[in-house]
Amino acid sequence: MPRPPRSRLAACFFLALAAGAGCRREARPAAARPAPSAEGERTRFLLPGPWRFKASNELAGAEAPAFDDHDWETVSVPHTWGERPLRRAWYRAHFALPHDEAGRPLYFDFEGAAVFADVYLNGTYLGQHRGAFTRFVFPAGAAAVAGDNVLAVRLTNDPADTADSLPSGLGKQLYHLYGGLYRKVWLLATHPLHVDPTEDASPGVYVTPRNVTAEAADLAVKVLVRNAGPARLRAELRCRLLDAEARQVVALVRPIDVDGGASLPVELAARIEQPRLWSPAAPHLYRVRAELALEGRVVDVVEQSTGFRDFRLVGGRFLLNGAPIALRGVGKHQETEDHAVAVTDDELREDFAALRDLGVNCVRLAHYPHATLEYDLADELGLLVWAENGHSNTYKATATGDAITREMVRQNYNHPSIVMWSVGNETGFVRVNRYAAVVRAEDPSRLITYASNTGRRGKRYPLLDFVAQNTYRGWYRGTAWEFEPKAREMRFVSEAGAGSVVTHHTDYASARRVVDRFEPEEYRQLVAEAQFQAVFRELKDLPLYMLWAFRDFAADKYKGRNTKGLLTYAGLHKDAYALYKAFLRPDEPVVHLTSKTCFLRRGRADNGIKAYSNRPELTLTLNGEDRGRRHSGAYRQADRRVVENVFYWPVALREGRNEARVSDGAGHADSMVVYYHRPGARPEAASPAALVQDLRSSNPASPAFFIDDEVRDEWPFYYEFDGSADNTFHRIPPALGGARWIATRRLSKPECRTDLSFSLQEASQASVFVLFTGRAALEGRLAAAGFRDARIGGTWRDNDLRLVPFRAWVKDAKGGDRIEVPGSTADYVVLVKPALSSS
């Protein structure tokens, strides 16, 4: 019987996958799946779920097809169980194969599974992969059957089981090793003659541009061709180089003979005249299209992006396409607050859009291989990449470490953005040399580096092109301005920075820090100002500066966070982001007022107003009054060191509400509302126009202040900025948009408990909301005070920086009404949302 057309087969196969739950013992929810991709007779299907998941250190035998998993949790993949160290956690998924598909070559392609994975198909063991951050591929072989199939994956992230991984499960961990199928899982079906995906899960096509200049470049292509059938095949390999407009630049054709059951490497080469060079300013990409044809019919196609660029280190300077380039970037983890390590594609795209906005020309994808999409985005956006193998603690070097390092190189070999491989971060030099040898054998064309925190260099690292160094002068020790001489000595700075928490604040003149206990934004500002002035003004020829880090991430530091990010864990821009951008992008106007999250100041009245900008001058307007113009370069830190792009006015704030605005006079401005109440002051009488009148707190130790400014995502709502009240909003529900709030000390502290009361301004109408976490007793008190369940909920952060649920109760009020909010020892906040007619 003739085979149906490939497009029809792909559709039938896809429907069978989506309907796989119908072959199970019970109905399971359908999952939305993208249409399969098809090239030649190659089809690729995403397996997002539904999957069944069970975490248990004791569970065994779940690989059996008949195993009863009906009471397991239903999840979609990518999925993580978090940082719990588990010896056994299982994932199971059903899928269906049409009868005529069961005999085709099938491969399971895992983009990442943490940390060690054992894979079974219909009870048959397909193999084990060791290492959390590299992809792996297992052939289904004879285990695949027509009809219902069961894919089972057993995972462990137990430290004792993963001792030989990168990083080792033993020893100090710089970041959390989250367990799970945290990246995508694919099913790949091919013609018996196909490009081989099994060499360390590489694409099977290796593209090497050599001798690259603007005039010409050499192009070498190696294709791994597999014949999964029994008989020798005579075929044709066609490789075409296509430019960004899909125009053919060159075509290479070679007849090949491939024995049955064999994999054959085939190499081709060409000379390319006047290639369009890849660079951060112009990231021109080409595609290599490898086709396998039998009797004139294309049966398999694999495409890989490539770019022509020459990157090298000469005389202590980096050269890109023959011109000097100073690398200015950030280190980045693959983690967000909402999904931990199981980041979504949209989140990764948002991250790289922010990197582009920031203006960096390079990114250190630390400390391990990242998702393929990140390297793709770097290719497209023109970001030079430092790629790292995961060697980030001091356990002994192992064969597993060799394999992970080799996988990193082979899987990411074709990305033009990757200009250097890193073989470790803050580890022992003997292990660094071992992994450097693995990289050099795989890829002699790129630089090899290592991030050290010991200062050792030279003959200890004979296989490295250079040693970069991590320095935290001004944070863990020393002062901020000690960074400059250290950086001048080091030359290659792989990490530098300081922590900051958006709920920690001090006066500018008294900025200080206590690492892992009190990390105010104002101290981070001083460190950033000193470093950026050094890097961009005094040390312009510094070859490499990588700020640590792009985004906060989970670690065993301040309340479970490494707080050195330019972004919070949730993605809120901290002040240092604006200053870095101001230096990185002098032609893109930046105007930013600092310390906005310090919405109620209780220190010195003349603490002043500070702004970051790359404009020549800014003017401050405070409460409608012109308070003067400042020029870039006029600002000096306390030790009299000049810092450009910083503007400061030592003006005094008035009691109560203040409106500040800075402008460059050319249409670029920033504004904020900030309240000031001197220490020990009681709230003054509100203006007659204020929405909230006669606000009273029953507890003198916890005075309340009405903040007549709209609530914001990721913003603090308590006014204690000393590290004892780290509660913040997450995403404000739409129904609460436009609301104002009443700020107090953290009300879950017993000593801060208070009854609140206030009146609404006579001409107004408003809804008064109480948002709270837990505490059913508070519901009873609110009900007695006339509040009702608003049926509005969401998540916010408690004092431990954990996302927890909140609920909202509401009371409608009109002008002159007296509102009573009974006290409770719980996390809650009072919001007042004016009616549309009175707002």
Side-chain angles (χ1 to χ4, degrees):
M1 179 178 178
R3 293 174 64 87
R6 172 55 45 204
S7 59
R8 180 182 158 203
L9 259 180
C12 294
F13 193 12
F14 173 60
L15 290 172
L17 281 167
C23 302
R24 308 174 195 181
R25 293 183 297 279
E26 58 174 313
R28 303 194 183 188
R33 294 171 173 82
S37 59
E39 290 282 7
E41 294 191 17
R42 173 179 291 240
T43 51
R44 195 162 174 256
F45 301 89
L46 184 63
L47 301 178
W51 289 73
R52 292 293 200 182
F53 169 71
K54 179 75 170 181
S56 169
N57 285 336
E58 292 73 38
L59 181 63
E63 72 275 11
F67 186 90
D68 184 2
D69 61 9
H70 79 277
D71 61 343
W72 289 17
E73 181 183 356
T74 299
V75 301
S76 59
V77 169
H79 173 265
T80 176
W81 67 72
E83 59 193 85
R84 289 177 292 162
L86 296 174
R87 179 150 287 172
R88 288 192 184 94
W90 288 86
Y91 292 84
R92 286 167 52 91
H94 288 252
F95 65 94
L97 282 178
H99 180 78
D100 56 355
E101 290 294 302
R104 297 182 70 204
L106 299 173
Y107 300 92
F108 293 102
D109 181 355
F110 294 79
E111 291 191 10
V115 170
F116 290 174
D118 292 284
V119 180
Y120 301 83
L121 179 62
N122 299 324
T124 298
Y125 185 56
L126 300 186
Q128 183 185 74
H129 181 261
R130 303 170 76 82
F133 301 109
T134 47
R135 69 191 307 149
F136 55 97
V137 170
F138 288 129
V145 298
D148 186 41
N149 290 261
V150 180
L151 179 64
V153 184
R154 181 179 64 201
L155 291 171
T156 179
N157 70 334
D158 184 272
D161 290 342
T162 60
D164 65 334
S165 189
L166 293 182
S168 171
L170 304 180
K172 180 181 179 181
Q173 303 294 329
L174 299 179
Y175 45 93
H176 291 324
L177 288 171
Y178 298 96
L181 285 178
Y182 72 96
R183 289 183 186 158
K184 297 172 186 173
V185 181
W186 301 84
L187 177 60
L188 172 67
T190 70
H191 185 277
L193 182 72
H194 56 276
V195 176
D196 190 351
T198 63
E199 185 175 72
D200 290 315
S202 78
V205 176
Y206 298 95
V207 183
T208 308
R210 297 192 179 101
N211 305 318
V212 175
T213 67
E215 289 73 35
D218 295 322
L219 181 69
V221 181
K222 182 170 77 170
V223 181
L224 306 180
V225 181
R226 176 170 290 277
N227 177 6
R232 181 183 179 91
L233 292 175
R234 169 153 290 186
E236 191 173 72
L237 172 63
R238 308 167 182 170
C239 283
R240 294 192 293 150
L241 181 67
L242 307 174
D243 66 14
E245 288 73 38
R247 295 175 300 210
Q248 180 172 294
V249 177
V250 68
L252 305 171
V253 180
R254 174 168 296 179
I256 55 174
D257 294 311
V258 191
D259 291 335
S263 184
L264 175 71
V266 182
E267 298 186 5
L268 305 96
R271 180 79 167 171
I272 310 301
E273 301 297 330
Q274 296 183 325
R276 300 182 72 184
L277 301 185
W278 184 96
S279 71
H284 296 296
L285 289 175
Y286 291 78
R287 288 178 295 144
V288 170
R289 182 179 175 91
E291 301 176 346
L292 289 170
L294 283 173
E295 299 178 348
R297 179 171 62 91
V298 174
V299 296
D300 195 30
V301 175
V302 171
E303 284 194 0
Q304 288 290 291
S305 293
T306 189
F308 291 95
R309 56 107 183 104
D310 179 77
F311 186 83
R312 60 185 65 202
L313 180 62
V314 178
R317 295 191 307 169
F318 293 116
L319 302 180
L320 177 63
N321 301 328
I325 182 170
L327 301 189
R328 302 290 181 260
V330 291
K332 178 186 180 300
H333 275 277
Q334 53 162 40
E335 188 172 337
T336 65
E337 183 179 41
D338 282 343
H339 299 101
V341 74
V343 292
T344 67
D345 287 356
D346 285 345
E347 286 175 322
L348 293 179
R349 291 189 177 97
E350 288 170 4
D351 277 356
F352 274 79
L355 291 172
R356 185 65 179 266
D357 172 74
L358 183 61
V360 295
N361 62 8
C362 62
V363 59
R364 178 185 177 192
L365 295 182
H367 286 296
Y368 39 74
H370 284 226
T372 300
L373 178 58
E374 295 199 56
Y375 302 108
D376 289 341
L377 291 169
D379 291 344
E380 295 167 11
L381 296 176
L383 291 173
L384 299 161
V385 170
W386 162 317
E388 203 152 295
N389 69 341
H391 182 210
S392 54
N393 57 11
T394 56
Y395 194 71
K396 64 183 180 181
T398 65
T400 298
D402 294 346
I404 291 170
T405 303
R406 188 176 302 109
E407 289 168 351
M408 172 188 72
V409 176
R410 291 182 175 181
Q411 292 169 17
N412 301 296
Y413 184 87
N414 295 329
H415 292 284
S417 58
I418 297 177
V419 293
M420 61 187 78
W421 304 111
S422 170
V423 289
N425 176 79
E426 300 183 0
T427 63
F429 74 92
V430 173
R431 292 170 288 278
V432 168
N433 285 332
R434 172 168 173 163
Y435 296 138
V438 173
V439 171
R440 187 67 73 197
E442 293 294 324
D443 183 7
S445 68
R446 288 181 171 95
L447 302 178
I448 305 177
T449 188
Y450 158 63
S452 173
N453 64 340
T454 64
R456 296 173 180 168
R457 304 189 211 172
K459 295 181 180 179
R460 288 178 176 269
Y461 306 95
L463 297 178
L464 301 183
D465 293 287
F466 68 98
V467 176
Q469 296 189 51
N470 302 339
T471 177
Y472 287 99
R473 293 298 174 130
W475 184 242
Y476 292 117
R477 60 175 177 166
T479 65
W481 287 101
E482 290 178 14
F483 168 81
E484 181 181 341
K486 292 299 295 184
R488 192 184 302 275
E489 172 192 346
M490 293 172 172
R491 301 288 295 159
F492 303 96
V493 178
S494 41
E495 288 183 24
S500 65
V501 181
V502 297
T503 50
H504 295 190
H505 293 283
T506 67
D507 283 358
Y508 297 122
S510 58
R512 59 183 180 85
R513 91 289 193 190
V514 181
V515 174
D516 293 338
R517 290 179 56 195
F518 180 56
E519 304 183 347
E521 282 233 74
E522 289 73 22
Y523 185 81
R524 169 67 179 276
Q525 292 169 15
L526 298 182
V527 174
E529 290 163 12
Q531 286 193 9
F532 300 162
Q533 181 70 14
V535 168
F536 290 94
R537 296 297 184 261
E538 277 76 36
L539 301 174
K540 291 182 179 180
D541 63 343
L542 193 73
L544 174 71
Y545 172 74
M546 293 282 197
L547 181 68
W548 190 259
F550 174 65
R551 181 196 289 262
D552 290 352
F553 58 94
D556 293 329
K557 298 184 71 61
Y558 180 77
K559 294 186 178 181
R561 299 282 186 273
N562 186 313
T563 65
K564 298 186 186 71
L566 293 174
L567 279 60
T568 66
Y569 203 17
L572 179 70
H573 291 191
K574 300 181 189 179
D575 292 325
Y577 180 102
L579 185 60
Y580 202 19
K581 180 178 177 179
F583 277 99
L584 285 163
R585 303 188 67 182
D587 298 328
E588 176 71 17
V590 174
V591 178
H592 172 82
L593 282 162
T594 69
S595 305
K596 290 181 184 177
T597 55
C598 187
F599 60 82
L600 194 155
R601 303 184 182 183
R602 309 201 72 195
R604 293 172 50 127
D606 62 353
N607 179 51
I609 301 293
K610 183 191 283 189
Y612 290 153
S613 179
N614 52 15
R615 309 301 287 164
E617 60 184 32
L618 294 181
T619 298
L620 170 67
T621 303
L622 182 62
N623 300 320
E625 180 184 350
D626 188 332
R627 301 307 298 271
R629 183 181 303 171
R630 296 290 184 271
H631 298 270
S632 182
Y635 171 78
R636 285 169 169 75
Q637 282 198 6
D639 61 359
R640 311 308 298 167
R641 296 289 295 267
V642 171
V643 184
E644 297 180 28
N645 293 340
V646 182
F647 302 77
Y648 178 68
W649 294 262
V651 294
L653 301 177
R654 69 186 182 193
E655 283 284 324
R657 190 176 190 270
N658 293 264
E659 296 183 16
R661 184 178 188 272
V662 289
S663 171
D664 67 350
H668 309 106
D670 195 19
S671 61
M672 68 178 177
V673 171
V674 59
Y675 279 73
Y676 176 73
H677 291 282
R678 64 188 182 279
R682 317 313 304 164
E684 295 186 351
S687 72
L691 179 63
V692 168
Q693 299 284 323
D694 193 22
L695 173 61
R696 298 181 185 181
S697 167
S698 66
N699 184 351
S702 185
F705 301 91
F706 176 59
I707 307 300
D708 191 7
D709 193 22
E710 292 188 8
V711 292
R712 291 176 172 85
D713 292 347
E714 319 303 339
W715 218 254
F717 49 84
Y718 295 134
Y719 61 72
E720 291 178 285
F721 298 123
D722 59 1
S724 68
D726 287 336
N727 307 66
T728 50
F729 294 112
H730 186 27
R731 296 186 182 94
I732 304 296
L736 301 178
R740 281 71 170 150
W741 80 101
I742 293 174
T744 63
R745 297 178 63 196
R746 178 164 61 86
L747 293 173
S748 52
K749 296 178 180 179
E751 68 273 20
C752 296
R753 178 170 174 157
T754 183
D755 298 323
L756 300 174
S757 65
F758 59 91
S759 299
L760 284 187
Q761 194 267 346
E762 287 290 345
S764 65
Q765 295 182 20
S767 296
V768 180
F769 293 91
V770 179
L771 279 56
F772 61 95
T773 293
R775 291 296 182 182
L778 182 57
E779 293 183 4
R781 295 191 184 99
L782 290 173
F787 286 81
R788 68 183 186 278
D789 189 346
R791 302 192 181 279
I792 296 171
T795 57
W796 61 10
R797 290 171 201 85
D798 63 13
N799 183 52
D800 293 325
L801 299 179
R802 296 173 302 182
L803 283 174
V804 296
F806 72 80
R807 293 171 293 152
W809 280 47
V810 65
K811 180 177 183 178
D812 296 323
K814 61 182 183 302
D817 286 353
R818 189 70 185 172
I819 311 298
E820 305 281 346
V821 181
S824 182
T825 301
D827 277 331
Y828 67 96
V829 65
V830 178
L831 274 57
V832 184
K833 181 176 180 179
L836 291 177
S837 59
S838 60
S839 61

